[in-house]
Amino acid sequence: MIVGAQEGVLVTIATRNDGVDMVCADSWICHVYPILAAYVADFPEQCLVACCKENRCPKCLVAADEREDAQDSAMDDSESTKDILQRRKIGQHLPEFEENGLCSVYNPFWADMPHADIFLVFTPDLLHQVHKGVFKDHLVRWCQQIIWEEEMDAHFKAMPDYPGLYHFKKGISTVKQWTRSEHKEMQRVFIGLLTGAVPSQVLVVARSILNFSYYVQLQIHMVDSLEGLQTALSVFHTNKDVLKELSIHEHFNIPKLHQLTHDVQSITLFGAADGFNTELPEHLHIDFAKDAYHASNKWDYEEQMVLWLQCQEAVFLQGAYLDWLAQEPL
């Protein structure tokens, strides 16, 4: 469904050599020649679009069992991938198909797009990759195994109230629905509550991940900030084996952890990662899915949701029109 929708929209406008008329942000209609320059998606969708399995990297050719270290791997090549897929389609069993972890998607929507390197356009995903992925799903769980969940809750409860800081009065184990805001509030106090509760080298690991998180969120980058980003990642890989020694984690062949190695390149090419965050489209789930569903009678709800959204759009447009009329001189 995703690929079909993208084929119908992206291919139509991006493969036309004569350009297309589009409404710009200033409401003027301009004749433009759009290209696919950046693709914002979470990890499963990136793998789907890259035609690869989810145990592989959608950007580079690193082997499935070699993602543990911060090593430089050759970037995947769109022309080579298209050739492998087409030869697979006609029945040729190439070793590269399995070596590259490809899936049988023979006509990817990006195949005929000019100037588009699909493996290069994937951007860092701060919400799922950094905040929820590396920090919440990995670092927090590793530390909970060291000091136990109850003890970590006690540390969160014991943090003193301070203006501007969120106080987790009931700890974090009772939180059922996590948002980016709660992840960021945890990060602000996490090093403080770990101090004295975990070995010093584990504290170095935690600090390096949080340093990386703060660097990658910057809205403006310079050479020094990118060097700090890379240094934070290097410090993590230098000290991460302490978690193996403590029998906390057996390996670090983790897809989202490997994805961090591509962030400096992506920021250099496309600018600050904050501009490509998936938090905004994720928030639209509330407006376009959850609210619409709750407005239905929960039975044959798809048609009701579409009708409700149409009504909401009509009300919005009418309100905008009335506001415009109110500003017009009599």
Side-chain angles (χ1 to χ4, degrees):
M1 181 176 68
I2 294 176
V3 175
Q6 289 163 337
E7 244 183 86
V9 178
L10 292 176
V11 175
T12 301
I13 64 174
T15 58
R16 292 180 56 174
N17 295 324
D18 56 347
V20 62
D21 292 335
M22 298 186 70
V23 180
C24 295
D26 56 3
S27 299
W28 286 88
I29 298 178
C30 299
H31 193 72
V32 299
Y33 296 83
I35 62 173
L36 181 61
Y39 195 101
V40 181
D42 58 13
F43 182 76
E45 186 178 346
Q46 288 183 11
C47 292
L48 174 65
V49 172
C51 308
C52 70
K53 300 175 183 177
E54 290 193 16
N55 67 339
R56 306 303 290 264
C57 176
K59 294 178 69 71
C60 71
L61 295 173
V62 63
D65 57 349
E66 296 179 359
R67 294 171 297 185
E68 185 162 340
D69 297 319
Q71 58 182 350
D72 293 328
S73 299
M75 297 296 291
D76 212 334
D77 179 69
S78 57
E79 294 299 325
S80 174
T81 300
K82 286 189 291 185
D83 179 64
I84 294 172
L85 292 174
Q86 288 304 311
R87 294 170 68 180
R88 175 79 174 191
K89 182 179 180 180
I90 61 177
Q92 296 184 21
H93 297 281
L94 303 177
E96 292 86 352
F97 185 85
E98 297 296 337
E99 291 174 0
N100 296 353
L102 297 176
C103 297
S104 301
V105 181
Y106 302 124
N107 296 302
F109 71 89
W110 44 266
D112 298 321
M113 288 187 176
H115 314 296
D117 186 344
I118 194 62
F119 305 108
L120 202 61
V121 302
F122 292 130
T123 56
D125 179 9
L126 298 183
L127 178 61
H128 298 97
Q129 174 184 314
V130 179
H131 297 303
K132 185 180 182 301
V134 175
F135 174 71
K136 174 62 172 59
D137 292 343
H138 296 298
L139 178 60
V140 173
R141 290 184 181 178
W142 294 337
C143 294
Q144 282 178 331
Q145 293 180 51
I146 296 175
I147 65 175
W148 300 103
E149 186 177 278
E150 295 80 5
E151 184 68 16
M152 182 170 287
D153 279 344
H155 283 216
F156 272 107
K157 295 176 185 178
M159 293 295 292
D161 289 330
Y162 188 82
L165 285 180
Y166 183 82
H167 187 206
F168 292 88
K169 298 179 180 179
K170 298 181 180 180
I172 62 172
S173 61
T174 58
V175 179
K176 302 300 181 184
Q177 188 71 31
W178 288 94
T179 65
R180 182 196 179 194
S181 298
E182 288 163 333
H183 290 145
K184 294 179 72 173
E185 291 295 339
M186 284 180 61
Q187 292 171 16
R188 296 176 71 180
V189 300
F190 199 65
I191 294 297
L193 66 87
L194 288 183
T195 303
V198 299
S200 58
Q201 198 171 2
V202 175
L203 200 62
V204 172
V205 170
R207 188 169 63 244
S208 64
I209 290 179
L210 290 176
N211 284 344
F212 186 95
S213 175
Y214 283 118
Y215 273 119
V216 80
Q217 294 177 67
L218 293 177
Q219 297 180 352
I220 298 176
H221 278 282
M222 296 179 289
V223 174
D224 290 344
S225 62
L226 292 178
E227 288 179 353
L229 188 66
Q230 191 62 51
T231 299
L233 188 60
S234 299
V235 170
F236 167 78
H237 284 290
T238 301
N239 295 274
K240 66 185 179 183
D241 286 343
V242 66
L243 298 172
K244 292 183 180 179
E245 297 170 3
L246 295 172
S247 301
I248 299 300
H249 207 68
E250 296 180 356
H251 66 86
F252 296 94
N253 191 34
I254 302 171
K256 291 181 180 179
L257 196 56
H258 167 76
Q259 289 288 93
L260 302 182
T261 61
H262 298 297
D263 285 3
V264 171
Q265 180 193 37
S266 295
I267 292 172
T268 303
L269 289 173
F270 303 118
D274 187 67
F276 302 100
N277 197 359
T278 56
E279 183 180 13
L280 179 59
E282 285 288 330
H283 184 73
L284 294 178
H285 288 173
I286 299 175
D287 299 331
F288 296 149
K290 292 182 179 179
D291 289 348
Y293 176 76
H294 289 311
S296 71
N297 64 2
K298 318 300 187 295
W299 185 264
D300 293 333
Y301 52 82
E302 292 93 344
E303 185 176 349
Q304 298 176 54
M305 291 172 63
V306 173
L307 182 61
W308 185 83
L309 289 171
Q310 290 177 343
C311 291
Q312 295 298 309
E313 184 178 13
V315 170
F316 171 78
L317 292 175
Q318 180 67 12
Y321 175 67
L322 293 176
D323 291 340
W324 176 76
L325 286 179
Q327 296 174 2
E328 288 293 306
L330 296 177

